[in-house]
Amino acid sequence: MINVERLVKSYQRRPVLHGVDHAQRRGEAVVLIGPSGCGKSTCLRCLNQLETPDAGRVTIAGITIDPGDAPRELGERQRQLRLRAGMVFQSFNLFPHLTALRNITESLLVVKRAPKDEAEHWGRELLAKVGLAEKADSYPAQLSGGQQQRVAIARALAMKPEVMLFDEPTSALDPELREEVLNVMRRLAEEGMTMIVVTHEMQFARDMADRVVFFDGGQVAEEGPPEQIFTAPQRDRTREFLRKSLGG
C-alpha cells in the first residue's frame, strides 16, 4: 500500500531526510517515534506531497510520485495521491466560518462535485463515527480542541482515503482531551485502515501499532513490533530515547 524509496529532503541546504526507505502493507498501522527535529513530520509531509522531495520515489495505493516527472504529469499524480491519502495535522485547520458538517462536506461538494444531500448524509455518518453526531451545526469556536480534532479526522475520511496520515494529532490538546482523539484512531486501526502516525504518545504506540519505526537524524534507525522496540531495542540510541520518553 505504501512504498518509499531513498527519500531525500533538504531545507536551504540543510539535509532533513537522508535516503528514507519504508514499505507498508494494506491495513498495517505504523507509528513513527523519535526526537523532535529528526524528520518524522517532514517524511509524512513528503508522503502526502505537501513537501516535494529532492529525490526518491513515493508510491501510495498504486500512485507513484517521482521528482523527475514532468511538471504537468507530476501535478496530476500529486492530486491523485492526495485523494488516496488523508492527512490530519497538529493544528486542526478547520474553516472557522463553516459548521462541523460543512467542514466535512466542503471537499465532497467542491472536489468531487457530490450532490448536496449525498454529501450531507455521508458527513453526518462520519460525525457519528467520531462521536459528534449532535455537533453537526456547531462552529469550530463552539467545540473543544478534542472535538475539533475529531471533526478534522472526519473531514479527512470524507474522501474515502485508502491511507491515513496523522502528524502529532494530540500534541495541541490538553491531556484530558487526548484520549477521545486516540480512541477514534484506535477504532480506525481496528477497522483495518492503513495508517502512519507521528506521535510522542508512547503508550498509544505500544498499544495500537503493528510496527514502530524509530526515526533519528533523518533516517530510520530501528523498526520492529512494539514489544521488541519497547522491551528489547537493538540500538543504544533507541534505548536512550525510550528511557527519556518513558521517564525510566
Side-chain angles (χ1 to χ4, degrees), residues 113-213:
R113 300 188 182 279
K116 185 177 180 181
D117 57 341
E118 289 182 15
E120 290 190 354
H121 179 75
W122 179 227
R124 291 183 187 279
E125 283 192 16
L126 289 171
L127 281 172
K129 184 182 185 73
V130 299
L132 293 173
E134 76 287 359
K135 298 294 185 180
D137 297 322
S138 298
Y139 289 87
Q142 298 170 315
L143 302 174
S144 70
Q147 290 171 335
Q148 289 186 61
Q149 190 62 295
R150 284 186 280 161
V151 172
I153 292 173
R155 180 178 59 183
L157 292 171
M159 302 297 281
K160 299 183 178 179
E162 296 185 57
V163 171
M164 283 288 286
L165 308 173
F166 294 88
D167 186 10
E168 307 236 21
T170 62
S171 64
L173 301 176
D174 294 332
E176 64 268 21
L177 299 177
R178 292 175 185 165
E179 196 61 28
E180 61 190 54
V181 174
L182 295 175
N183 282 336
V184 171
M185 295 167 64
R186 288 188 184 99
R187 288 197 296 272
L188 288 176
E190 290 167 0
E191 293 169 2
M193 174 62 75
T194 307
M195 300 166 57
I196 301 181
V197 182
V198 171
T199 186
H200 290 289
E201 301 274 359
M202 294 297 113
Q203 191 59 50
F204 175 76
R206 194 167 192 163
D207 294 343
M208 191 278 293
D210 295 308
R211 181 159 40 115
V212 174
V213 175

Side-chain angles (χ1 to χ4, degrees), residues 47-95:
L47 295 188
N48 191 250
Q49 297 297 296
L50 293 172
E51 299 283 357
T52 302
D54 299 324
R57 290 159 57 93
V58 173
T59 302
I60 294 180
I63 303 297
T64 298
I65 304 291
D66 190 315
D69 291 337
R72 185 171 181 178
E73 183 180 352
L74 178 62
E76 175 57 23
R77 288 187 180 179
Q78 287 175 325
R79 188 183 74 83
Q80 290 294 327
L81 184 144
R82 291 191 189 107
L83 290 175
R84 290 162 173 78
M87 190 158 179
V88 178
F89 303 87
Q90 298 178 41
S91 53
F92 322 125
N93 293 335
L94 299 179
F95 295 114

